[in-house]
Every structure is written in structure tokens, then in C-alpha cells.
Amino acid sequence: MMMLLLSLPHGAIMASSGHRDLIPLQPIIDRADTGDIIQLEAGRYSGPAIIDKSITIQGDSTVIVMNTEATSTITIRSDGVKLSGFTIEHDANEATAAIQVEGKNSKITDLLIQTQGFGMMIRNSSQATIQRNNITWIGADAASSSQKGNGIDLYNSHDSYIEANEITGMRDGIYLENSRKSTVQNNRLLHTRYGIHCMYIDGSSVMDNTGEENMTGAMIMGVKNTVISGNSFRKQSTNVHSQGILLYDVHQSSVHNNVVEGNRVGMNIAESSGNEIRGNAVLRNFVGIQLVLAEANEFTRNRLVSNVIEASALDSPNNVMMENYWDSFQGLDLNQDGISEISYAINPFYEQLVSRNSAYQLFFQSPGMIFLSDLFTEGRDQWTTDKSPRMSMDTESDLHMSVERATGSNMVWVFGLVLLGLATFIIIYMGVLRK
């Protein structure tokens, strides 16, 4: 024991759990001095607790902090507080959180949070670092989104860094409102309403995150001067409003090198202007890109492959489209420069028809609807048009995607041949038996 105490950093405190079932955490915090490191021993501790001094609390997977009261499990009111390594079981209602941060320069890392409310609430703070935490909803499976809390919830909190967290089953995975210059990077978001939800943020970045089976991968609203890059949102298709990325009232922002695959709508761009949308892979969605009241955006070198409807545009003038790849487009490249001399125009016939009478959705992709759409040419000079569509995919990522598609196609062929061979064998075998 003496050797263990000597090995601790100066100012460290060992919090022994003894043999009691539940140890109050607040007295341990109260006994600590500013700058102390509290190393929690294996055991179960009870909250709620308030941290009003700059201290560090550390633990491991054998340390569990529990709370059933209608308040946050741990509330941080001082600057420079650090938490790491332990588990929090927050069984209070959704108006409270496992961790509530009100101080500046907090660092919260490597926690396992199981909650029936919010995971973390960051309020009127700045420079929070939130890394490698796992946040999971443990309330009723039948709970609706409105009955849940968000995984990581920031309000009026700036210069935050949110990285490598995994969030499952919450209302919104990561929610940012009225917060500037924040970075949301390399997080994994599963089975939420909105994986990432940004409201009224400025000068931030959403990069390299992955989301699957959410209602919407990234809901970006009321945003300007923000970068959405390198994200992958797949299989958002369980709801009639599902989409990979939604831009609503977004301006002067960059959306590039994202993958949206297998969603109801890949990218939905509404009432947004002045954005650069470049190099995105829009794959196997019901609708690839949907534009509604979107104006003066620039779409360049995006790849639209195997979408049921490649693109739709309604009341969206003056958008610039250049060198995008549309896999169903039959172009003509006379000078062999890889760019078609025939432009690709997004026909608005179906969207206009459905907007007037939704019952016409019953005739989607019917021969008659396709025939009428091909005949429709009214206002063609106002249609959203790619004047220089690419004839092929030629980047490294395009090549990788092509190989992936070819592999999938080959598997289908192999499976088909196996079935054909089996059917042939059965037919021959049955013929022999009859003889």
C-alpha cells in the first residue's frame, strides 16, 4: 500500500470503496483540493455530485457512478475539470444528464455512459474536449424520440472538440445550437433521430463521422461558414423523411467528399445558397440529390450512381452544375476529353406533378409517367442543368467504387449460375426418375 501511494502523482487521492455497496461521491470531491487527482478504486459510487474546483477524477471499467435522482449525475461548475475512464449509470429523467458542464476547458474522455436522459449537456461553456466516450440509451425500447435526450448536447458553447465518440439509440447523437468554431470529428452515430444536428452554428466543421440507420445522418440547419467533409451516412431509410445529409438554410459552406449511400434521399438541399458541393459520392439512394428553393449553389465533380431518381429540383434557379457523373446519362463525347457535349438537365415534371397532387406518386416509374416526363419540355431553359457532365469516373475513389460495384455484380452472377445449375440438375434428375 505504501508503494502504491508513493507511485501516485503529487496531490492524488485514493478513493477506497471498502466493502460498502454504494459510496457517496460528493464527500470524496469535497475533501479534495484544487489540482488534486482523485483515483477511484473499484466499486459503485452514488451521485449526484457537483464539482466546483479544478480537479481530475479517474477510474476504470470497475468503477460505476450511479444516480436515480431527478438531477444530473455529475455537474461541473469549475474550469479545467477532467473526467476519464469510468462508467456512469444515469437513471433520471430526460431533462437531466449523466454529465452537465458549465465550466470552461473541461476534458471528458473514455467514459461509458448509460442513460435514460441526456448523455452530456454543455451549457454556456467553451473549449470543452469530449473524446472516445460511449453513450447509450438504456430506457424503454419503445420510447419515442421526444422521450429521449441527446447524446452530446451543446448550447452557446464555443471552440469545442468532439472526437471519436460512439452514440447509440439517443434522440440526436450530437446536437449543437448557437455554438461557434466547434469541431465534430470521427464520431459513430447509430439508431438516433438525427446523427448530427447543427442549429445556428458558424465557422465549425463536421468531418469524418459515420452514421447508420438513423432517421437522418446529418441535419444541418441555419448554418454558415461551415465545412461538412469526409462523412459517411448509410441506410437512413426507415422514415418517410429519412435522408443522408439535409442542408436547410445553409449558406457559404463547403460540403465535400462525403458518402451518402442507401438512404431515402441522399442529399436534400433546401432554402440554401452560396454553398460549394463537391466530390460527394451519392450511391444507391431512392433520390440522389433533391433541391427545393435552393439557389446559387455550385455542384462540381459529384458522383451519382445507382439511385432510383438521380436528382430532382423544384424552384431552384441559378445553381451551377459542372463535371458531375450521372450513371444513367447517355452523353456524347466527340473530342474525347471525358466531358459530354450534350448537357444533362434535371426534369422537374414528376416533382411538379406530385407537388400539385400527391396521389400521382402511385404512378412513379410507371411506363406512362416516364413517357409523359420524356415529352415534357416546358421552361427547359430554366431547368437545373449540368452543362458539362462527365462521361466516366476516373478518380481513385471512383475506381474503388467501380471495383466494389463489379464485385457485387460478380457475386450476383455467381449466385445466379449456381441456382441455374441446381435447377438443371433437378430437371435432369427428375427426368431420369420418371424413366
Side-chain angles (χ1 to χ4, degrees), residues 57-343:
I57 301 180
Q58 298 175 346
D60 58 26
S61 59
T62 65
V63 175
I64 300 173
V65 179
M66 303 178 62
N67 178 40
T68 58
E69 297 185 24
T71 186
S72 295
T73 301
I74 297 176
T75 301
I76 298 173
R77 292 183 176 162
S78 181
D79 299 345
V81 173
K82 299 178 181 179
L83 306 177
S84 69
F86 52 91
T87 296
I88 299 178
E89 294 181 1
H90 180 71
D91 295 328
N93 63 46
E94 76 158 276
T96 62
I99 299 173
Q100 181 159 330
V101 178
E102 300 168 5
K104 300 178 181 178
N105 198 30
S106 300
K107 188 171 184 179
I108 303 169
T109 60
D110 302 299
L111 298 183
L112 173 61
I113 295 176
Q114 299 174 328
T115 179
Q116 295 190 50
F118 285 71
M120 301 184 199
M121 297 173 67
I122 318 298
R123 294 291 182 267
N124 304 307
S125 180
S126 63
Q127 297 180 315
T129 298
I130 304 170
Q131 291 177 297
R132 299 182 304 278
N133 302 285
N134 188 304
I135 302 173
T136 304
W137 169 259
I138 57 167
D141 292 337
S144 65
S145 293
S146 62
Q147 295 173 310
K148 299 178 179 181
N150 298 324
I152 299 172
D153 186 299
L154 279 75
Y155 180 80
N156 196 34
S157 298
H158 314 300
D159 297 292
S160 301
Y161 187 69
I162 303 170
E163 182 198 28
N165 303 281
E166 181 166 323
I167 301 172
T168 305
M170 306 299 295
R171 179 198 297 168
D172 294 345
I174 299 172
Y175 179 84
L176 287 77
E177 182 176 356
N178 195 33
S179 300
R180 300 186 303 275
K181 297 181 180 178
S182 295
T183 298
V184 179
Q185 184 169 9
N186 197 31
N187 300 281
R188 190 162 184 250
L189 312 146
L190 306 169
H191 307 292
T192 69
R193 182 183 67 164
Y194 307 143
I196 298 171
H197 191 180
C198 299
M199 296 277 290
Y200 314 118
I201 68 171
D202 187 4
S204 298
S205 60
V206 177
M207 302 186 301
D208 304 323
N209 303 283
T210 61
E212 292 188 9
E213 298 183 348
N214 308 287
M215 182 187 295
T216 291
M219 177 76 76
I220 314 296
M221 306 176 68
V223 166
K224 59 182 179 179
N225 303 317
T226 291
V227 174
I228 299 99
S229 172
N231 303 285
S232 174
F233 296 113
R234 305 172 190 265
K235 301 179 184 178
Q236 274 73 220
S237 59
T238 57
N239 188 282
V240 294
H241 302 296
S242 291
Q243 50 227 320
I245 298 174
L246 169 67
L247 306 182
Y248 181 84
D249 189 25
V250 175
H251 308 279
Q252 287 75 54
S253 295
S254 175
V255 184
H256 62 270
N257 298 337
N258 301 283
V259 176
V260 286
E261 180 179 9
N263 309 290
R264 191 190 70 84
V265 176
M267 298 180 67
N268 188 350
I269 300 151
E271 300 187 32
S272 300
S273 64
N275 301 295
E276 180 190 30
I277 301 166
R278 169 176 50 84
N280 301 285
V282 184
L283 317 173
R284 293 177 277 275
N285 305 282
F286 182 70
V287 179
I289 294 178
Q290 181 171 291
L291 306 177
V292 180
L293 299 172
E295 185 174 2
N297 301 286
E298 185 174 299
F299 298 80
T300 57
R301 301 189 72 80
N302 300 288
R303 304 178 300 282
L304 291 95
V305 178
S306 298
N307 303 286
V308 178
I309 302 174
E310 285 189 320
S312 67
L314 192 62
D315 298 325
S316 298
N318 303 321
N319 293 291
V320 176
M321 286 192 167
M322 298 184 300
E323 299 186 14
N324 301 284
Y325 175 75
W326 314 85
D327 73 333
S328 67
F329 173 61
Q330 300 296 318
L332 182 63
D333 184 8
L334 297 176
N335 59 5
Q336 300 298 309
D337 64 351
I339 302 297
S340 172
E341 276 71 49
I342 301 174
S343 61

